[in-house]
Amino acid sequence: MIYITRPSPEGELLTRQLNQANLAAKHLPFFAISAGQDLDKLPAQLAQLDSSAIVIVVSPQVSHILKQQAVSINFPKQINYYAVGKRSATLFRQLSQTTVHYPTCENSEGLLALLEKQPLAGRKALILCGNGGRELLAQQLCKHNMDVTRLACYHRQVIHYPATILATDISQQLIVITSIEHLMQLERYCQTAHKNHAQLIVSSERIYHRAKQLKWQKVLPIDCANNQILFKTVLTLCHNVINETKNVK
């Protein structure tokens, strides 16, 4: 069984894609998404930015919640907009009607590498994120002497499951993890057998190293949390397993 831990709607879309490819996949989101405590501050924060400022969209959830809440915002065209990945950039561009840049390596590290190609000291950075997320970005940009503000545009509420939700067919499990927060929630439901036999697919080297610290043995890192790349990775991995099984027989 393939378990997709991404929140709705991205997690549901990926699960549906896998099911349509005749793969047994289940959506098992660890967080429910709602409006964040700072969402109403966004218009005023944007209005205070000058043309040298950088606005960073960390997740598709930012655009989803803005559209869901029907927030009326003027997005100044002169500001520099960036997103962590292509999906986040596409959704935010459609919403804001602005140009949104994103890195080839679609994660926090890739975005930092892209931003560091330009002078950053003394400039303002507004990070549109969830509660407690993307701290690495804020920390690293502060080291470049930027004036960084994090706005919790969406709120992640932990979803609780029975302790035995992942207790069966452990060796056949493939679990997709797209953030450190998801990985830490997974700890609630996994046993030693999971860490020895279940397969993790994680969306960055940072998550990979954290999983290894937590003693996961089978961890495959990819460069981003893009659904299309995740789909192709899972598809390839599953087909390889099927072929290996046939060869053994």
Side-chain angles (χ1 to χ4, degrees):
M1 176 64 74
I2 303 162
Y3 291 97
I4 307 299
T5 66
R6 300 195 79 177
S8 299
E10 306 299 325
E12 289 170 328
L13 292 172
L14 179 55
T15 303
R16 190 179 308 126
Q17 215 175 351
L18 291 166
N19 290 155
Q20 289 171 348
N22 296 317
L23 293 175
K26 180 177 181 180
H27 188 212
L28 191 73
F30 288 144
F31 295 96
I33 305 298
S34 58
Q37 62 182 12
D38 297 330
L39 187 61
D40 59 347
K41 300 177 184 177
L42 180 55
Q45 287 286 341
L46 288 170
Q48 294 173 12
L49 299 178
D50 60 29
S51 59
S52 70
I54 293 173
V55 173
I56 298 173
V57 181
V58 306
S59 164
Q61 299 298 338
V62 172
S63 296
H64 289 317
I65 207 69
L66 285 172
K67 187 175 181 180
Q68 179 185 320
Q69 298 294 314
V71 180
S72 179
I73 298 176
N74 174 40
F75 293 95
K77 298 295 189 291
Q78 74 275 15
I79 294 174
N80 305 278
Y81 295 92
Y82 289 85
V84 170
K86 182 178 180 179
R87 176 67 172 165
S88 297
T90 299
L91 290 173
F92 195 75
R93 181 170 61 246
Q94 293 170 349
L95 185 73
S96 64
Q97 299 299 302
T98 61
T99 299
V100 185
H101 307 280
Y102 65 93
T104 303
C105 184
E106 298 178 40
N107 52 38
S108 294
E109 293 83 352
L111 180 57
L112 283 168
L114 178 62
L115 291 172
E116 287 167 354
K117 293 180 179 179
Q118 57 188 298
L120 297 176
R123 298 169 68 180
K124 290 186 177 181
L126 183 62
I127 301 177
L128 311 186
C129 56
N131 52 311
R134 299 290 178 178
E135 294 179 1
L136 175 68
L137 276 173
Q139 292 168 357
Q140 294 301 314
L141 293 177
C142 283
K143 289 181 179 180
H144 286 283
N145 295 316
M146 295 195 74
D147 180 2
V148 180
T149 300
R150 296 170 71 255
L151 278 190
C153 293
Y154 61 92
H155 178 78
R156 291 174 297 189
Q157 181 67 41
V158 174
I159 299 174
H160 296 282
Y161 296 101
T164 57
I165 188 72
L166 296 174
T168 59
D169 297 323
I170 292 173
S171 64
Q172 304 301 313
Q173 291 178 13
L174 189 158
I175 306 170
V176 176
I177 297 290
T178 55
S179 76
I180 292 287
E181 291 79 12
H182 293 163
L183 179 64
M184 300 315 296
Q185 286 302 312
L186 180 61
E187 288 290 296
R188 293 170 174 258
Y189 307 106
C190 69
Q191 308 161 12
T192 302
H194 286 93
K195 296 189 176 185
N196 289 334
H197 303 295
Q199 173 73 59
L200 289 189
I201 292 180
V202 301
S203 59
S204 74
E205 287 290 332
R206 186 163 47 93
I207 305 173
Y208 170 82
H209 291 303
R210 189 72 182 99
K212 283 299 185 179
Q213 289 174 354
L214 293 169
K215 308 301 182 185
W216 286 88
Q217 300 303 308
K218 299 171 67 176
V219 188
L220 175 64
I222 60 174
D223 286 339
C224 70
N226 179 289
N227 267 1
Q228 284 304 110
I229 295 176
L230 286 169
F231 172 74
K232 291 177 182 178
T233 302
V234 172
L235 198 63
T236 300
L237 198 59
C238 289
H239 283 174
N240 288 344
V241 169
I242 291 171
N243 290 334
E244 287 173 5
T245 302
K246 288 179 179 178
N247 290 335
V248 169
K249 291 180 179 179

